[in-house]
Amino acid sequence: NSYGGEPSPQAGEGDKRAATATWARKIASKPHNMLIFFTMANVLLYLDRGAIASAGVNGSLDTRTCVPVNLCGLEVSNGTCYALPNSPPETKCTMQGSPRHGFQGDFDLNGAQDGWLQSMFLVGLLVASPCFAFAAKTKDNIRLCGLGLVLWSVAVLCCGFTFDFWSLALCRTFVGIGEAALITIVPNFIDTCAPPTQKTKWLAVFCVAIPSGTALGYAYGGLVAYLLHWRFAFFIEGAMMMP
């Protein structure tokens, strides 16, 4: 069938061995295993959505100011405050805000550009979804899903190597295209393979990944950016999906 199950009895022994040689075919032979696989993949997809929106990965521009602003100045090179020459001797300067960080700070993105990154992801998702849905009618769904997830992994890894707004926007578009494979194929898989009395449960299990993956993504993005760098959030995500 379209989910890579065992070949028909008429198939030769060579075809049968070829169909069961890979781990994907072994997973496909047991629908419960496929549900676990798809759910774990969905967690990673939404982990990415949460991570890119997290304060650590998304970041911000330089918001540091020294107060009182009319009496103090900021030395950008070393991040210290100093009293202006015309300020009283007793003036005490304190710093507020934070230095630039995340891709928004590294690429000097304004609010509109930051918003467009999310829009480009959705453009890729919306354009590719009907394409994958149409292909799923005649093609092997397991291969289609694998193709989408490999594309997603490569695109997420490339996000870690981006150098400006346009390169990141292009990578996020392909992330959306890759994600489209999973979200269009899984509902059909549940309808085809789930026991009639458990279809709602299977769909619920799959959908639990949406809030849980997003919530984990916020914490994950902040933690990785703090311990390593915001780019490593994408490197780790892509590596986790590859197997």
Side-chain angles (χ1 to χ4, degrees), residues 12-24:
E13 287 299 316
D15 293 336
K16 186 177 292 187
R17 285 194 299 270
T20 57
T22 64
W23 67 269

Side-chain angles (χ1 to χ4, degrees), residues 10-127:
Q10 291 77 18
E13 287 299 316
D15 293 336
K16 186 177 292 187
R17 285 194 299 270
T20 57
T22 64
W23 67 269
R25 296 291 180 177
K26 292 177 182 178
I27 290 177
S29 66
K30 295 182 179 180
H32 283 87
N33 288 350
M34 289 185 66
L35 176 63
I36 294 172
F37 169 76
F38 284 144
T39 302
M40 291 176 62
N42 204 30
V43 169
L44 285 178
L45 297 184
Y46 280 89
L47 181 82
D48 173 71
R49 292 201 192 190
I52 196 171
S54 67
V57 176
N58 189 287
S60 69
L61 299 174
D62 193 337
T63 60
R64 292 176 297 176
T65 57
C66 293
V67 293
V69 293
N70 59 328
L71 299 177
C72 301
L74 172 65
E75 182 61 46
V76 178
S77 59
N78 56 17
T80 59
C81 294
Y82 62 91
L84 296 176
N86 60 343
S87 59
E90 65 276 9
T91 299
K92 293 183 178 180
C93 299
T94 57
M95 183 180 296
Q96 296 180 346
S98 61
R100 63 174 63 206
H101 62 285
F103 61 75
Q104 189 174 0
D106 285 1
F107 301 156
D108 198 23
L109 304 184
N110 56 40
Q113 290 174 316
D114 191 31
W116 269 108
L117 291 176
Q118 306 300 328
S119 298
M120 295 304 294
F121 164 82
L122 292 175
V123 166
L125 182 68
L126 293 174
V127 170

Side-chain angles (χ1 to χ4, degrees), residues 203-224:
L203 186 60
V205 169
F206 178 75
C207 290
V208 162
I210 297 175
S212 59
T214 304
L216 286 172
Y218 282 108
Y220 161 81
L223 181 64
V224 173

